[in-house]
Amino acid sequence: MSDGTPADLFFDAAIGLLQRVRDEEDEAIAAAGALLADTVADGGRLFAFGAGHSSLAAQDVVYRAGGLALMNLLAVPGVVGVDVTPATLGSALERVDGLAGAVLDTSPVRAGDTLVIISLSGRNALPVEMALGARARGLKVIGVTSVAYAAETTSRHSSGTFLKDHCDIVLDSKIAVGDAELTLDTIPAPFAPASTVVTTALLQAVMATTAAALADRGIEPPLLRSGNVDGGHEWNGRVMAQYGDRIFYRR
């Protein structure tokens, strides 16, 4: 590492990645925002899925102050973050064939909806089959992944393909294989992952684009407000009532 504290260097690395995705993924972000706006305008529903730490970015756009009320979490038991014991079970479940199909079959998704799938590597069976299954059911798929993994690793799905190969739109997070931004002579392994920072920012950029796209069409974006500001609960109650048939996390 060059001069600077590890904290400074991590911030520099994260800022550099954010600048890259801002400059290099602008067209994909615009396309993703337009697709979500199309889905909302056409009466469709919005879903987000991620496994392991990729689930953090999915959760960040669900029931979020300042976010779209229609974004629902498509949860797979055992792979949402590190909420299972042992934590390694979640990683193992990502490689199980057929799990995605079972989840889709028992979920409320239907043709005309859009599913955002977040997977840093995009190489495991679960995200690949989730994308394949969603598109087969008539959904549009937005993938958020690091395209570098497809060039530098092998797929763990029987098709030999990656998440990026089964999406209508791909957002490339630019994260290097291994997801660790720093090295130090006194530490034997790379450290300081930035994928959550970058992936979350990418998705919030898409949400902002979606809101603006809806407003440009004369449609009030179904946004939530913070419950910690005066009038927030009343505002959210109105939005929930108006779009209740497209919001599934209230059950």
Side-chain angles (χ1 to χ4, degrees):
M1 289 193 311
S2 59
D3 293 340
T5 69
D8 290 339
L9 294 170
F10 176 77
F11 281 122
D12 288 344
I15 291 168
L17 285 164
L18 290 171
Q19 290 174 329
R20 282 192 65 194
V21 296
R22 180 194 63 191
D23 297 339
E24 299 174 20
E25 297 300 299
D26 55 332
E27 292 184 4
I29 290 169
L35 176 54
L36 293 184
D38 289 342
T39 305
V40 173
D42 293 341
R45 294 86 59 79
L46 310 177
F47 296 87
F49 164 76
H53 287 93
S54 290
S55 178
L56 297 174
Q59 294 177 60
D60 191 61
V61 295
V62 175
Y63 190 51
R64 190 71 162 86
L68 292 173
L70 305 190
M71 187 61 76
N72 300 279
L73 185 68
L74 186 62
V76 178
V79 305
V80 181
V82 290
D83 60 337
V84 295
T85 303
T88 51
L89 175 60
S91 297
L93 289 173
E94 288 186 63
R95 305 178 191 181
V96 174
D97 293 334
L99 181 56
V103 170
L104 288 168
D105 284 342
T106 56
S107 76
V109 302
R110 67 187 183 193
D113 295 343
T114 295
L115 173 61
V116 179
I117 301 176
I118 304 107
S119 174
L120 178 60
S121 73
R123 68 187 299 218
N124 288 311
L126 185 54
V128 173
E129 292 183 358
M130 191 69 75
L132 282 166
R135 294 181 90 185
R137 289 164 174 79
L139 281 76
K140 296 293 187 181
V141 174
I142 298 171
V144 186
T145 187
S146 171
V147 173
Y149 275 82
E152 301 180 36
T153 68
T154 57
S155 171
R156 289 177 175 149
H157 186 251
S158 58
S159 67
T161 61
F162 289 75
L163 168 61
K164 74 173 187 64
D165 300 315
H166 307 288
C167 299
D168 296 280
I169 298 170
V170 175
L171 297 170
D172 183 4
S173 65
K174 316 294 182 182
I175 301 295
V177 174
D179 192 17
E181 295 300 320
L182 305 183
T183 59
L184 195 61
D185 291 343
T186 55
I187 299 177
F191 61 104
S195 60
T196 302
V197 173
V198 176
T199 303
T200 300
L202 257 175
L203 282 179
Q204 290 298 349
V206 171
M207 297 301 111
T209 302
T210 303
L214 286 168
D216 287 344
R217 303 177 192 193
I219 301 172
E220 180 183 331
L223 298 171
L224 294 174
R225 301 192 68 182
S226 172
N228 296 314
V229 300
D230 291 343
H233 288 300
E234 292 76 15
W235 172 283
N236 292 341
R238 175 180 65 82
V239 174
M240 294 284 189
Q242 181 177 354
Y243 292 96
D245 60 335
R246 298 156 76 179
I247 299 171
F248 300 99
Y249 49 79
R250 301 190 307 162
R251 294 179 180 177

